[in-house]
Amino acid sequence: MRLLITENMRDISIIIINYNSSSYTIQCIQSIIEKTSPSINYDIIVIDNASHYDDYSKLLKEITALDNQKITIQRSKLNTGFGGGNMFGVQFANAKYYAFVNNDTILKNDCISISYNFLENTKDASICCPQQYDANDHVQMSFDHFLSLKRELFGRKILEKTNPKRYPKRKKVYTSPLKVECVPGSFLVTKASAFDQVGGFDTNIFLYYEETDLCYRIKKAFSDGNSYLVPEGQYLHFEGQSTKKSNAIKKELKLSLLYVLRKHTGYIPFQVMRFVLTGKFFFKSIIKPKNFDLFLFFLKGAPLSASLKMKQMIHKK
């Protein structure tokens, strides 16, 4: 557990990770400065997650030009992924709440103040998120149901039809706060105390499902550990600007899924899911041979040693 110093504590620390996408990071920062009420005492902590030096240099130059004392930038020599990068950022935060905001987002309104005020005034909430929109300003799904073997085998729609009270429709447009099981990592605001007490993000996970794991652990640990969608807040998410689609990324996604499934539901659901994925990619590889690598990956047990986390190079500049 990290000890927060109450002296000079801010209302909220906003942590943004940059990875070879500085133009998006600057846009995100500018939208936060433009939209956030001056009544909120906040700071912005930018973590450069071992980008190429040219991108980092551009980012540093742009942030310096903003001449805003609320913004600090820290550079990691190693790409530690989403969870690791945000955990690095937390080390420089001293606030009542943390906002983990993807750099490929732009605030449509004052999401920071809306999220802060909601958590301040909702006794059973520890996490919340605003309503997500895509680059074309269309409403996107902004919450999910906890990862389970049932969800993966039968699908979310079946869960929503058979038990709508527990599993509200993700594709529905909501106009008032909604209690949900987990919120997206693209814009997640949490009580610092709850986050710190559960140990923050699990850094065994390099990419994907970090927020699912966090929401689950906070919900389990605290009576007021619920997550909420707060549709009054609105933001655009361009999605995937730091990670391009590839077999390696697809493998990382499934690796994280299996890790979180095993962590929270046990060995048998993990093995059932691994067996299903092994069969799925075996048959896919018959049609598309490039899937054979994925078939072998699941056949061998989907070990964490295969994660992209193990393949990062230290940047000395």
Side-chain angles (χ1 to χ4, degrees):
M1 183 176 73
R2 198 171 71 91
L3 180 64
L4 289 174
I5 302 170
T6 55
E7 185 180 354
N8 298 321
M9 181 183 282
R10 297 184 184 274
D11 294 328
I12 189 162
S13 282
I14 304 163
I15 300 170
I16 303 171
I17 296 176
N18 178 71
Y19 181 67
N20 294 324
S21 49
S22 57
S23 296
Y24 282 95
T25 303
I26 292 298
Q27 285 186 96
C28 178
I29 292 170
Q30 289 172 334
S31 76
I32 291 170
I33 294 170
E34 178 187 342
K35 300 292 185 182
T36 305
S37 168
S39 65
I40 296 292
N41 180 12
Y42 73 93
D43 65 345
I44 301 173
I45 301 166
V46 180
I47 300 300
D48 182 76
N49 222 357
S51 302
H52 298 307
Y53 188 74
D54 287 349
D55 189 77
Y56 167 67
S57 181
K58 177 185 175 184
L59 177 64
L60 182 60
K61 182 179 178 181
E62 294 276 4
I63 287 177
T64 302
L66 288 173
D67 192 25
N68 189 315
Q69 293 184 351
K70 290 181 181 292
I71 309 168
T72 58
I73 180 169
Q74 304 290 337
R75 177 162 164 81
S76 173
K77 291 183 178 180
L78 191 68
N79 180 1
T80 54
F82 177 87
N86 278 309
M87 290 300 287
F88 182 42
V90 164
Q91 307 313 306
F92 304 97
N94 183 36
K96 189 173 183 180
Y97 298 97
Y98 302 141
F100 300 101
V101 180
N102 274 21
N103 74 323
D104 56 353
T105 61
I106 292 177
L107 277 61
K108 285 167 61 68
N109 62 9
D110 190 359
C111 296
I112 300 300
S113 298
I114 291 167
S115 298
Y116 173 81
N117 290 326
F118 176 80
L119 289 172
E120 281 284 278
N121 295 300
T122 308
K123 291 182 179 180
D124 71 337
S126 288
I127 297 174
C128 74
C129 72
Q131 175 62 55
Q132 180 178 193
Y133 291 75
D134 67 14
N136 297 313
D137 208 20
H138 298 144
V139 173
Q140 296 295 290
M141 290 178 288
S142 300
F143 66 90
D144 205 349
H145 315 307
F146 281 139
L147 175 61
S148 65
L149 184 61
K150 181 169 62 173
R151 191 194 83 176
E152 293 305 303
L153 292 181
F154 301 110
R156 295 167 175 86
K157 286 185 179 180
I158 294 294
L159 298 183
E160 291 168 4
K161 285 182 179 179
T162 56
N163 192 350
K165 187 174 181 180
R166 178 176 175 182
Y167 303 108
K169 290 183 178 179
R170 296 175 308 131
K171 293 184 178 181
K172 182 179 175 180
V173 177
Y174 295 91
T175 57
S176 57
L178 176 73
K179 187 185 293 187
V180 298
E181 292 191 327
C182 52
V183 301
S186 56
F187 202 124
L188 182 156
V189 185
T190 180
K191 287 181 179 177
S193 58
F195 181 89
D196 292 342
Q197 285 182 62
V198 300
F201 290 113
D202 182 343
T203 55
N204 285 317
I205 307 169
F206 185 70
L207 287 173
Y208 308 112
Y209 291 98
E210 304 93 341
E211 68 275 23
T212 300
D213 172 69
L214 178 70
C215 290
Y216 184 91
R217 285 186 288 121
I218 288 179
K219 170 70 174 176
K220 189 175 179 181
F222 305 104
S223 59
D224 61 350
N226 295 301
S227 298
Y228 277 85
L229 166 66
V230 185
E232 180 187 353
Q234 300 175 357
Y235 71 102
L236 298 177
H237 185 205
F238 295 98
E239 199 164 359
Q241 297 309 311
S242 297
T243 51
K244 305 303 178 183
K245 290 182 179 180
S246 66
N247 257 20
I249 291 297
K250 189 182 293 185
K251 186 185 294 183
E252 198 68 32
L253 173 67
K254 298 302 184 184
L255 177 62
S256 297
L257 182 152
L258 288 170
Y259 172 80
V260 174
L261 186 67
R262 181 170 183 173
K263 179 179 178 179
H264 293 299
T265 66
Y267 182 72
I268 292 176
F270 161 77
Q271 287 291 19
V272 171
M273 195 69 235
R274 186 180 71 83
F275 176 78
V276 169
L277 289 169
T278 302
K280 175 182 176 180
F281 282 98
F282 171 74
F283 288 108
K284 278 193 169 187
S285 68
I286 296 172
I287 301 169
K288 294 183 178 180
K290 68 178 183 179
N291 285 310
F292 189 72
D293 178 52
L294 288 163
F295 159 67
L296 290 178
F297 168 69
F298 294 117
L299 186 66
K300 293 175 181 177
L304 277 178
S305 58
S307 171
L308 291 171
K309 179 180 180 180
M310 307 301 178
K311 301 176 183 179
Q312 303 306 307
M313 301 295 291
I314 292 176
H315 286 225
K316 295 183 178 180
K317 273 191 174 183

